Amino acid sequence: MTDRTPMSRTRWTALVASVFLLLALVAVYMVLEETGTLGTILDAAALRERIVHLGAWGPFAVVALMMLAILVSPIPSAPIAMAAGAVYGHTWGTLYVVTGAEAGALAAFGIARLLGRAVLHRWFGERLPAGLIGSQNALMGIVFVSRLLPFVSFDLVSYAAGLTLLSAWRFALATLAGIIPASFLLAHFGREMASGEADRFMYTALALGLITAIPLGVKLWRDRTSRRCR
């Protein structure tokens, strides 16, 4: 009996801390919406101007906004990445975007581990993927491929991965490897939009579409191969 009490208190403490964290995220979102900041985030050009006015604090704002975009679903990350590329260029813009996205993904992963499946299922409902089970290597592959597909919810994958047996370092590595190409292209995309050169803008859009098509092509090829083997 005495052995279960400390464990129970630890779980309750973790649960209360997680609830306060979730409430804080909701409060941040409401503040962003009420102050009009959310509208600015949705407009890459307006966000670019706001980041420029922040001066030396601009990179910290990009990292913080990327983290929020991962933790809070309604906040989109693409305009933030494009604004970062427009202000800081391909290299530094990509670095700031990757840093924020990786930190946000790890935070979501940690929250899921802390909260557990029951609470998150109430939060996301049927949107929460239930099939992320399997070996460590298979889970790493799923996380990596999902990062290359822009139509797959980044935040849901991060939360769902935290409910599996996937180790934190494997999740971090798969996420980092997967987000670098898309982050670079989005930053480059924003840079070319700011420059106003239509041809280079078109080539960047084609490259972004190619990165999306590659994992889909691999998946289709594997499905056909497995069917033939049967």
Side-chain angles (χ1 to χ4, degrees):
M1 190 73 177
T2 55
D3 293 337
R4 294 181 181 178
T5 303
M7 180 65 69
S8 178
R9 289 177 180 175
T10 302
R11 289 177 179 175
W12 273 108
T13 301
L15 180 60
V16 170
S18 300
V19 169
F20 275 111
L21 177 60
L22 294 178
L23 290 176
L25 292 175
V26 172
V28 168
Y29 175 77
M30 293 179 64
V31 169
L32 292 176
E33 188 175 25
E34 289 295 328
T35 58
T37 305
L38 184 59
T40 302
I41 294 174
L42 295 174
D43 186 346
L47 181 60
R48 182 177 69 242
E49 294 180 4
R50 184 72 65 88
I51 292 174
V52 170
H53 289 158
L54 289 175
W57 290 101
F60 296 99
V62 171
V63 173
L65 287 174
M66 284 299 300
M67 290 183 65
L68 279 176
I70 305 305
L71 291 172
V72 183
S73 297
I75 301 177
S77 59
I80 303 170
M82 292 171 62
V87 176
Y88 302 110
H90 315 126
T91 304
W92 287 104
T94 300
L95 178 62
Y96 300 143
V97 170
V98 168
T99 300
E102 181 77 1
L106 287 172
F109 182 88
I111 290 173
R113 282 281 162 92
L114 201 60
L115 282 177
R117 184 172 185 81
V119 177
L120 282 181
H121 186 74
R122 291 180 182 177
W123 186 12
F124 287 109
E126 297 302 323
R127 294 176 61 208
L128 187 65
L132 282 181
I133 55 175
S135 67
Q136 293 284 323
N137 290 335
L139 290 171
M140 279 189 71
I142 292 173
V143 171
F144 171 73
V145 171
S146 71
R147 301 316 192 193
L148 298 175
L149 302 175
F151 52 82
V152 176
S153 177
F154 193 101
D155 55 332
L156 283 180
V157 171
S158 300
Y159 284 114
L163 303 177
T164 69
L165 298 178
L166 182 63
S167 61
W169 74 267
R170 287 176 179 269
F171 171 79
L173 183 61
T175 296
L176 182 62
I179 62 177
I180 288 177
S183 297
F184 174 79
L185 281 176
L186 284 172
H188 184 71
F189 201 56
R191 188 67 171 179
E192 299 309 322
M193 284 185 66
S195 68
E197 297 186 18
D199 293 339
R200 296 169 65 182
F201 179 84
M202 180 184 67
Y203 292 145
T204 303
L206 289 175
L208 185 60
L210 180 61
I211 280 190
T212 302
I214 287 175
L216 289 177
V218 171
K219 185 179 184 303
L220 289 174
W221 178 78
R222 286 183 176 179
D223 290 343
R224 289 183 179 179
T225 303
S226 61
R227 289 175 183 175
R228 289 178 182 176
C229 293
R230 292 176 184 176

